Amino acid sequence: MICSLAITGASRGQTPQRTVAITIDDLPAASANNMTGAEIFAMTSKLLTTLRDQKVPAIGFVNEDKLYKLGDVDDRIKALNLWLDDGFELGNHTFAHTSLNRVPLPVWEEEVIRGETVTKYLLAQHKMNMRFLRYPYLDAGLDLQTRREAEAFLTSRGYHVAPVTMDAWDWMYGGIYEDARKQGDTALQQKLLESYLSYTTTIFDYFEKQSKNLFGYEPKQVLLLHATWLEADHIGDLLDLLRKRGYQFISLADAISDPAYSSPDNYVGEGTGSIDHWAITRGQPLMGEPAFPQWVIDKAKELHHSTGTPSY
Ligand SMILES: [Zn+2]
């Protein structure tokens, strides 16, 4: 056994040992307003079946305002509950996906509290606590005082902030993919999938290199995804891609135990990932993040799924 492991390790040659936590935002579904509860349940079930079969830990971040659709509440809550029944974790993404950069702090804090009601109830039934909050749009404050006060508030309510180091804008692909899926346009679905996986590769190349430049090693990474049919249908392809890069899958709690996440971070401004935060705090802003494919942006605008502004 030891011998065969040693041989496996050697045959991998230069493939680094990497780890990543899978985090999925905008539950119960990014497009919940255009879906029935039954469809949300079907999407959730497909997504979680792949993750569970492959023993990949994941956490989903909830916007509870998406639960309240008259006559459809039960199915939406059942979809959320599936996460916990299948052994995954849930966190808070504020009630109505409210940016801390766009409203006064007390208003935002109220959005955090309103976002806890159903999720905390479901967690308690599974003997779990709410441990993580993900900032909508990754907006963590426009000035340092607001940022620190928000963090103190979150700490007082038992939260850790859920960071992001890898983001390939899957939400942008997701809206167009869901439209193509509705139209039965399998050619466009395939084209989007290929572009998505290819862009993800360039994003990983880029941030692996940048994080190594910053820390001298690649910290445990945190990947941002969204609850869409794109991920439900194809997260298996994404997991394959990551495995080929040497990634093993870990929980968010494990990822943020990496010392990198305790390094100085005084970033304020428009929402962005932690690797940007750390680089800017050191006075070494990152240049040259891979350009997002323009045809995908154009397609999204054309289909009115996006105004061109990020919706994560
Ligand atoms: Zn979001």
Side-chain angles (χ1 to χ4, degrees), residues 25-26 63 66 93 97 134-137 224 226 311-312:
D25 283 14
D26 299 359
N63 301 123
K66 291 175 174 168
H93 197 34
H97 208 272
R134 162 77 40 77
Y135 287 113
Y137 314 95
L224 170 60
H226 292 78
S311 71
Y312 49 81

Side-chain angles (χ1 to χ4, degrees), residues 117-131:
T117 317
V118 177
T119 310
K120 272 198 169 172
Y121 171 78
L122 298 176
L123 284 164
Q125 287 188 324
H126 291 78
K127 302 194 174 6
M128 295 169 76
N129 295 316
M130 187 100 94
R131 299 195 293 172

